[in-house]
């Protein structure tokens, strides 16, 4: 049997029971009674003659305009599907050839900073669609299976860890974005934290004395004394604003990286690190520091990131020259089409 649509009730690309009810009407549209099944599935022997016609009808049900905007995965035309799939396989083959040149396959440990990767994906997708990066739009569909295939490339993985965050109002796993669900299905241990309210200082120039009546909307300097206020001039005072942000996400990945280094001291492996961040974290020293520790202990590092999101520290010539081919960068920009398409990767 070939299932026509996803049976996953949490799949945002399924469009729920409405799509299922419409699928039940397909036999009448096609003039065939042989397509009737309870779950919208039809025998393989009977789908082939009308596959393209059926495909076009389903595309209409799923929303042509939404797919054109990339908001739900692009379903390639039957003759285009194989082309996209083959191009993807060839792109991966380039990196797989470098894997072979690196010598014996080492145990693979994969760490995914999903927030960093997904934000980079959304921004890169906007650029590809000629949409200003700072414009707020609905997030485009993201195919995590493709990302996993890019990172692992049919190599056995000993450890897979993904960390990210969701808005504070998301209280149930059923509200997760689909790529978190897909990550778990691919064998990734997920740590999804709720974003928290964070306070950030803003320096504001001290205002001159005015009348006791102030205009509405004026920001009041805080009475908290900062080190900057201790100067004789006392020109600056501190103001604060609040925002929702991540806390502890990077640190979870740093901890898991250190655990791998300690647990596999006798057999250093290869770390795949999906992020472009190199800055110090709120409660730890940052990805660059832990990657450097791994490299010093004989590990190989593969950084999977976006060109617009990578920190300059990762491409510093002194850093790259020190570790040679034990440190590689794989840019996801070359896979933007596949990451937004509803295709099955060649691996997994």
């Amino acid at each position: 049997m070939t299932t026509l649509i996803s049976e996953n009730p949490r799949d945002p690309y399924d469009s729920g029971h409405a799509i299922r009810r419409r699928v039940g009407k397909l036999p009448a549209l096609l003039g065939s009674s042989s397509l009737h099944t309870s779950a919208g599935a039809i025998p393989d022997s009977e789908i082939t003659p009308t596959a393209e016609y059926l495909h076009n009808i389903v595309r209409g049900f799923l929303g042509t305009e939404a797919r054109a905007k990339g908001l739900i995965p692009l379903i390639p035309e039957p003759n285009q599907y194989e082309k996209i799939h083959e191009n993807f396989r060839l792109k991966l083959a380039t990196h797989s050839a470098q894997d072979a040149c690196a010598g014996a396959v080492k145990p693979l440990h994969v760490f995914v900073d999903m927030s960093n990767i997904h934000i980079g994906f959304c921004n890169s997708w906007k650029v590809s669609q000629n949409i200003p990066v700072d414009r707020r739009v609905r997030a485009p569909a993201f195919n995590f299976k493709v990302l996993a295939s890019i990172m692992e490339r049919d190599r056995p993985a000993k450890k897979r860890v993904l960390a990210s965050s969701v808005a504070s109002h998301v209280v149930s796993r059923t509200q997760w974005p689909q790529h978190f669900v897909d990550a778990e299905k691919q064998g990734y241990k997920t740590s999804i934290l709720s974003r928290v309210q964070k306070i950030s200082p803003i320096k504001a120039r001290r205002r001159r004395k005015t009348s006791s009546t102030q205009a509405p909307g004026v920001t009041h300097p805080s009475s908290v004394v900062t080190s900057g206020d201790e100067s004789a001039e006392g020109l600056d005072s501190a103001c604060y604003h609040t925002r929702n942000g991540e806390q502890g996400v990077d640190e979870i990945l740093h901890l898991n990286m250190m655990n791998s280094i300690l647990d596999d001291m006798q057999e250093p492996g290869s770390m795949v690190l999906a992020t472009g961040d190199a800055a110090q974290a709120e409660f730890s020293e940052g990805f660059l520091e832990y990657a450097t520790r791994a490299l010093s202990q004989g590990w190989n590092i593969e950084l999977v990131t976006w060109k617009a999101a990578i920190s300059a520290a990762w491409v510093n010539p002194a850093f790259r020259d020190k570790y040679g081919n034990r440190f590689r960068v794989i840019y996801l920009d070359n896979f933007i089409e596949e990451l937004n398409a509803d295709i099955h990767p060649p691996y997994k």
Side-chain angles (χ1 to χ4, degrees):
M1 302 286 287
T2 299
T3 302
L4 181 63
I5 57 178
S6 169
E7 295 299 321
N8 182 359
R10 292 180 295 184
D11 188 348
Y13 316 139
D14 188 344
S15 298
H17 298 292
I19 293 295
R20 221 174 294 282
R21 288 196 300 270
R22 291 177 180 177
V23 167
K25 300 177 182 179
L26 289 178
L29 293 171
L30 295 172
S32 169
S33 59
S34 61
L35 297 175
H36 284 286
T37 64
S38 61
I42 54 179
D44 289 338
S45 59
E46 299 178 29
I47 190 173
T48 303
T50 59
E52 187 166 358
Y53 184 32
L54 187 61
H55 173 273
N56 291 333
I57 293 175
V58 174
R59 281 175 61 88
F61 287 149
L62 294 182
T64 304
E65 182 177 357
R67 290 197 181 280
K69 294 180 179 179
L71 302 180
I72 48 180
L74 169 67
I75 298 182
E77 299 291 345
N79 59 341
Q80 191 179 9
Y81 181 95
E82 292 300 328
K83 181 180 179 181
I84 295 177
H85 193 275
E86 179 63 15
N87 287 340
F88 182 41
R89 189 188 66 80
L90 292 174
K91 291 177 184 178
L92 290 181
T94 302
H95 298 290
S96 297
Q98 296 182 46
D99 298 339
C101 294
V105 177
K106 292 187 173 186
L108 200 64
H109 297 238
V110 187
F111 304 98
V112 184
D113 178 4
M114 196 64 230
S115 301
N116 184 279
I117 293 299
H118 192 255
I119 291 172
F121 165 72
C122 292
N123 290 341
S124 297
W125 177 82
K126 288 179 185 178
V127 171
S128 72
Q129 302 297 312
N130 296 317
I131 299 173
V133 173
D134 58 353
R135 180 180 297 175
R136 295 179 65 87
V137 298
R138 182 181 174 186
F142 181 83
N143 191 330
F144 185 86
K145 294 177 183 178
V146 169
L147 176 64
S149 192
I150 294 168
M151 296 187 296
E152 299 178 26
R153 300 191 297 282
D154 205 28
R155 298 172 294 177
K158 184 176 181 179
K159 189 174 185 177
R160 301 181 181 94
V161 181
L162 178 147
S164 190
S165 67
V166 291
S168 56
H169 66 265
V170 176
V171 296
S172 170
R173 294 166 63 92
T174 59
Q175 297 174 283
W176 280 6
Q178 183 62 30
H179 50 268
F180 292 164
V181 178
D182 291 340
E184 287 196 332
K185 290 180 179 179
Q186 295 294 302
Y188 282 75
K189 177 184 177 182
T190 60
S191 295
I192 311 300
L193 308 184
S194 294
R195 299 183 193 120
V196 300
Q197 191 174 74
K198 307 179 80 171
I199 300 176
S200 302
I202 303 176
K203 281 196 172 183
R205 183 70 63 178
R206 177 179 291 176
R207 301 188 309 278
R208 294 180 179 179
K209 291 183 179 180
T210 59
S211 63
S212 58
T213 304
Q214 290 182 310
V218 174
T219 301
H220 294 268
S222 169
S223 60
V224 177
V225 177
T226 66
S227 59
D229 297 321
E230 296 174 357
S231 64
E233 295 78 14
L235 294 177
D236 294 331
S237 58
C239 297
Y240 296 85
H241 74 85
T242 60
R243 63 180 177 84
N244 288 332
E246 290 187 340
Q247 190 168 71
V249 172
D250 292 355
E251 289 82 349
I252 288 174
L253 295 171
H254 300 160
L255 174 62
N256 278 274
M257 291 171 70
M258 282 304 301
N259 285 342
S260 290
I261 295 172
L262 292 173
D263 293 343
D264 291 66
M265 292 186 69
Q266 303 302 317
E267 189 184 11
S270 293
M271 280 191 187
V272 176
L273 182 56
T275 187
D277 189 7
Q280 182 175 336
E282 188 174 3
F283 300 114
S284 63
E285 296 173 290
F287 287 109
L288 180 63
E289 173 63 25
Y290 292 101
T292 302
R293 292 184 185 183
L295 287 164
S296 67
Q297 296 297 316
W299 287 71
N300 294 338
I301 298 288
E302 295 178 14
L303 190 74
V304 177
T305 185
W306 300 91
K307 291 179 180 178
I310 187 171
S311 168
W314 291 112
V315 293
N316 184 299
F319 178 79
R320 300 293 297 269
D321 293 343
K322 182 176 181 179
Y323 298 107
N325 60 8
R326 290 178 48 227
F327 176 76
R328 295 165 56 187
V329 179
I330 297 175
Y331 290 109
L332 293 172
D333 303 70
N334 299 326
F335 300 96
I336 186 71
E337 181 182 16
E338 292 84 358
L339 287 166
N340 185 230
D342 186 19
I343 65 171
H344 297 285
Y347 306 136
K348 289 239 173 192

